[in-house]
Amino acid sequence: MKGEIEGITDDGIGVRVIDKNGFEHKIEMLFDGEIVYHHQKGYPDNPKERTNEEDESVAQARRFARYHVYREKGYDTVPNPDNPDRIAAVLLALIGLDDQQFDQYFGMLYEQMASHERADVAPVLDLPQEVYSEEFIVYKQNVYLEESLDAMQDQLTQPATEVFGEENLQEFLQETGDGLVAKARSLVGGGTDEDEDASEEPSIPEADLSIADVSGLDTMYSTPEGYKTIEGEDPVSREPDARIETLPMGYTREQFRYHVGHNLICQIRDCFISMGVEPPAQYRLLGHGKFKYSAKYRDFDFYPDYWDYEANIPGYSSPV
């Protein structure tokens, strides 16, 4: 995918995109990312006449155009939960939490998720019994940062997705509990107990990002008529900076913290793939990220099975 900004007026931005099939797209959008014009000759104009792969190619070009404008000009043109830099910023905020703080925000999600498979954990949601009888359930929780996008960009010397390198991201994944916090502090400039070891650690620019709030839990489940969602309470009336999505799992609390980080990394992967772009090497990890993309990976044969821990995809690794 290649992008070129062709013009900026008082009304918006014009972008030229060459998609991965070599077709040209002329796209115009407002400063909030709303696309008001899209012309291309590579695929049928009527979405009903396109194959799934053709329709996805058109959608990828639109997502890439928004991302290109955001990265090149700084306009907030990408929907919050689909912006990989926002998700990476949430990941940065999470690694600074000690276990008690982490449980304060995400303990309810853990207990509901683990209650399906652990007799020692009670569910926190009063869901209809038929929901528990369904074969497929996804729990979702919105995460909101204190900082605006401008504040995030001001604090970091590079885009948030580039803050993590392949080595230090793997080190984060290998740490759990308060050990994760100690590792995080050493990497963001807080020092270590052994000064001689500190110089050998991969470095991450210092960031003071913090969680403002989290939502209650949304419960999405399958029925013969399709997917339905029971929405939880949400105290914030804006798009979240990230949305954790998890299947029921019988993890310990320590394992769950790792799982949340892994889910966010896979979501960053999904953001790039959904734009027709190969993710940076540190985000080429297998597993569940965003449900809507995991479903596409399963249903469309033109996508590899990125959601599958056991998939054999060159350049991608499994965390288990």
Side-chain angles (χ1 to χ4, degrees):
M1 305 288 281
K2 296 180 180 179
E4 178 184 355
I5 295 177
E6 295 196 313
I8 300 177
T9 69
D10 292 339
D11 298 321
I13 310 106
V15 188
R16 176 176 177 263
V17 172
I18 304 297
D19 71 21
K20 60 184 181 181
N21 297 318
F23 294 122
E24 180 184 70
H25 301 252
K26 295 281 191 175
I27 297 173
E28 296 177 6
M29 70 185 73
L30 305 181
F31 293 104
D32 63 359
E34 179 185 351
I35 293 177
V36 295
Y37 176 81
H38 184 175
H39 176 72
Q40 52 78 34
K41 295 182 178 180
Y43 315 99
D45 288 329
N46 186 344
K48 294 181 180 180
E49 297 177 2
R50 300 174 194 150
T51 65
N52 287 331
E53 187 168 8
E54 289 173 337
D55 198 53
E56 188 68 4
S57 294
V58 172
Q60 286 178 350
R62 295 165 73 91
R63 297 185 196 111
F64 180 80
R66 291 189 180 102
Y67 181 73
H68 184 72
V69 169
Y70 155 71
R71 271 298 184 92
E72 292 296 314
K73 297 299 180 181
Y75 296 118
D76 194 3
T77 48
V78 181
N80 287 11
D82 294 326
N83 186 330
D85 285 333
R86 285 188 183 270
I87 300 172
V90 169
L91 185 58
L92 279 167
L94 290 186
I95 63 176
L97 301 177
D98 61 31
D99 283 349
Q100 184 176 1
Q101 292 170 321
F102 186 86
D103 192 61
Q104 174 188 342
Y105 290 118
F106 305 108
M108 183 170 66
L109 176 60
Y110 167 73
E111 290 172 7
Q112 183 62 33
M113 178 198 75
S115 69
H116 287 258
E117 299 187 21
R118 295 180 64 96
D120 59 331
V121 179
V124 295
L125 298 181
D126 184 18
L127 298 175
Q129 186 57 44
E130 57 265 25
V131 173
Y132 288 104
S133 302
E134 296 295 341
E135 293 183 359
F136 183 83
I137 296 177
V138 176
Y139 292 112
K140 303 181 182 183
Q141 186 172 27
N142 295 335
V143 184
Y144 301 90
L145 294 182
E146 290 277 5
E147 294 76 19
S148 66
L149 183 61
D150 288 341
M152 293 179 208
Q153 293 169 333
D154 288 343
Q155 284 199 33
L156 301 172
T157 59
Q158 55 191 318
T161 49
E162 297 175 12
V163 169
F164 292 102
E166 191 167 3
E167 290 184 10
N168 52 41
L169 191 58
Q170 286 301 318
E171 289 190 42
F172 280 135
L173 288 176
Q174 291 165 7
E175 295 287 348
T176 55
D178 287 330
L180 181 70
V181 180
K183 176 62 68 177
R185 287 173 178 161
S186 73
L187 294 179
V188 300
T192 63
D193 293 335
E194 301 181 18
D195 290 340
E196 63 271 21
D197 292 337
S199 61
E200 300 177 3
E201 298 283 5
S203 62
I204 289 181
E206 187 168 359
D208 186 20
L209 300 174
S210 55
I211 296 175
D213 215 333
V214 296
S215 71
L217 307 184
D218 287 353
T219 305
M220 186 177 74
Y221 60 100
S222 61
T223 72
E225 295 77 34
Y227 294 108
K228 295 184 178 180
T229 297
I230 300 174
E231 295 185 352
E233 294 184 1
D234 195 336
V236 183
S237 58
R238 65 173 174 88
E239 280 191 314
D241 293 292
R243 179 179 294 117
I244 298 168
E245 304 184 15
T246 180
L247 304 171
M249 297 284 186
Y251 292 136
T252 63
R253 289 184 183 273
E254 190 174 66
Q255 291 169 331
F256 173 66
R257 181 161 186 164
Y258 170 97
H259 172 69
V260 169
H262 172 257
N263 176 249
L264 292 175
I265 292 168
C266 289
Q267 289 194 31
I268 293 170
R269 173 205 67 199
D270 291 342
C271 289
F272 284 102
I273 290 171
S274 72
M275 296 184 287
V277 175
E278 188 71 10
Q282 61 268 39
Y283 301 111
R284 295 175 193 172
L285 200 63
L286 298 174
H288 285 283
K290 291 177 174 289
F291 166 75
K292 63 181 179 180
Y293 294 123
S294 290
K296 288 185 178 183
Y297 304 151
R298 288 195 305 267
D299 296 341
F300 296 156
D301 58 9
F302 51 85
Y303 275 127
D305 290 329
Y306 297 108
W307 64 274
D308 186 354
Y309 293 111
E310 298 180 353
N312 183 14
I313 304 174
Y316 285 75
S317 60
S318 173
V320 294

